Amino acid sequence: MTDRVTTAEGSGGDCCIAVRNTGPLSGEVAVPGAKNSVLKLMAASLLADGTFELSNVPDIIDVSIMAELLRAIGAEVEVLGRGAVTIRNTGDLTPVAPFELVEQMRASINVLGPLLTRCGHVRLSMPGGDDFGSRPIDMHIAGLEAMGASFSYGEDYVEASVDRLRGADIMFKFPSVGATENLVTAAVYADGVTTLENAAREPEIIDLCEYLVAMGAQIEGIGTSQLRITGVAPGSLRACEHETVPDRIQAATYIAACAVSGGRLDLLNAQAGHMQMVLTRFRDMGLEFEPLPYGLRVAAPGRLRSTDFATLPYPGIATDYKPLITTMLSVAEGVGIVTENLYPGRFRYVEELQRLGADIRTDGHHAVIRGVPRLVAAEVTAHDIRAGAAMVVAGLAAEGTTTITGVHHIDRGYDDLVGRLQRIGADITRFDA
Ligand code: EPU
């Protein structure tokens, strides 16, 4: 693993990917650790002094950005290679998250809860992230206010302070992933008990809660939509070791690649239990799955059949699968409807699929996809992480050579996507523009 933070801004920016239909894929793919877990684990490491050892950390730009953010706050972060990262805190933290790092990545917001509960003060620039519509943080703020924090606002930052957070009963209007994470991490040092109702319960949230418990936090209801956190004495948590949960979205990306190409893949480390709903629907489309002692086998015996999908919070179909699903439906037999219930603006990649000959009509938060036998190569752009992966999958389903720009988005969340696909037989290369 390389610490890519020095190249984070420009990495992939001048790169392109060329990909063509190659027919059936075969072999093994090791599924890396989950971006949307490890970034939160890293932020939660601000809660205790000592040396944390994280393993199964993906080699992605967002990890480098989070490493740089933690360093700016006062932690020592070392990227050791082979998926290992250590984070060392000596207690000397500056609870300020600078704009140039926060604007690059939504997950920067995850330092809010740990810094506020540990330092009693935090100043955070407003988070950036992907371009699929407004992404407010009102639930994070309302929850922390209910625990006694006061907020003030500047032009592009938010500041919070409190003597010591106190336990509170918080009901989320929506099971927000980020708000659940910030509130759980804030509650670990609060005075008394905090209950979070309608909490998000994604596998990555379970991973974070288990990390906090390994640090000495008291959390009940892990994996359910009601979390109960009993605050421990401030400063009493300790550093720990932890292995990051495998990435279900990266696993689904290789499933989608196999689905449009044919063939059979063994996905090492894939956790079928974290993907039950989407695997059921993929079976409806004609894919076959077999559990392996160390992962999951997928086979694509013929042309996919269309079906309808609607995105929902976990255990529903994750919005992050949607660009992949839309791409699969683009070459499936029949008509499928995809309904987006989380981010109304998350259909930008549809124009790119249309460039490749996909027959898709969007209406509000619905997309109607009439499958065509084969897409046709074109030059397309990756507008965000998942849309970028979908372009790669679409290129595998297209006649001719598809060129993808905006590769830096893919690098934010995918650990060697091109190399992994090459090793299972895909005709794909990366080159400087
Ligand atoms: N929302 C609010 N107010 C809030 C918080 C959220 O209205 O205070 C809304 C959002 O605008 C959105 C919905 O609630 O419409 C869901 O937001 P959530 O907080 O659940 O998402 P997030 O924490 O911002 C994480 C992932 C996303 C993933 C979503 C949903 C990270 C860093 N990001 O975002 O992943 O799509 O959960 O599962 O964990 C990606 O990895 O490419 C990605 C975008």
Side-chain angles (χ1 to χ4, degrees), residues 203-398:
E204 297 77 27
I205 297 207
I206 297 176
D207 205 31
L208 172 64
C209 288
E210 288 174 350
Y211 188 57
L212 296 169
V213 168
M215 290 164 69
Q218 291 186 23
I219 307 175
E220 292 164 72
I222 295 175
T224 75
S225 54
Q226 189 191 54
L227 293 170
R228 187 172 193 276
I229 306 107
T230 305
V232 297
S236 63
L237 297 184
R238 57 195 177 270
C240 63
E241 293 173 15
H242 186 85
E243 183 177 336
T244 313
V245 71
D247 193 323
R248 60 201 164 103
I249 314 294
Q250 290 195 63
T253 304
Y254 297 102
I255 292 173
C258 182
V260 302
S261 306
R264 192 177 84 170
L265 297 179
D266 286 353
L267 305 173
L268 312 184
N269 309 324
Q271 303 265 323
H274 294 169
M275 307 175 71
Q276 278 180 352
M277 189 79 81
V278 78
L279 294 185
T280 302
R281 309 311 310 286
F282 284 167
R283 275 195 190 94
D284 294 343
M285 292 185 78
L287 294 180
E288 294 170 358
F289 295 98
E290 190 187 324
L292 301 171
Y294 45 83
L296 178 69
R297 176 167 294 166
V298 54
R303 188 174 174 197
L304 297 167
R305 296 185 295 272
S306 290
T307 184
D308 298 339
F309 287 85
T311 63
L312 282 173
Y314 193 83
I317 306 276
T319 174
D320 292 346
Y321 294 134
K322 197 188 58 176
L324 300 167
I325 289 169
T326 308
T327 304
M328 288 164 64
L329 289 171
S330 296
V331 290
E333 191 162 1
V335 179
I337 299 175
V338 172
T339 302
E340 171 62 61
N341 290 313
L342 278 88
Y343 299 113
R346 203 172 195 180
F347 273 125
R348 218 174 142 197
Y349 61 91
V350 163
E351 283 167 36
E352 306 300 318
L353 288 175
Q354 286 166 337
R355 251 186 248 280
L356 294 165
D359 182 350
I360 307 177
R361 202 162 38 81
T362 54
D363 184 4
H365 60 136
H366 304 288
V368 180
I369 303 118
R370 200 173 294 274
V372 296
R374 177 105 346 143
L375 300 176
V376 183
E379 192 170 306
V380 290
T381 302
H383 290 296
D384 65 61
I385 302 171
R386 312 303 172 187
M391 290 306 117
V392 170
V393 172
L396 288 170

Side-chain angles (χ1 to χ4, degrees), residues 35-36 39-40 106-107 110 130 132 134-140 173-179 181 202 248 318-320 342-344 346 384-386:
K35 166 181 86 77
N36 288 347
L39 299 175
K40 326 308 174 60
R106 168 80 176 179
N110 277 73
D130 298 302
F132 36 75
S134 134
R135 296 175 74 182
I137 56 167
D138 54 308
M139 282 189 263
H140 305 236
K173 63 181 178 191
F174 178 88
S176 156
V177 169
E181 291 162 344
E202 273 71 0
R248 60 201 164 103
T319 174
D320 292 346
L342 278 88
Y343 299 113
R346 203 172 195 180
D384 65 61
I385 302 171
R386 312 303 172 187

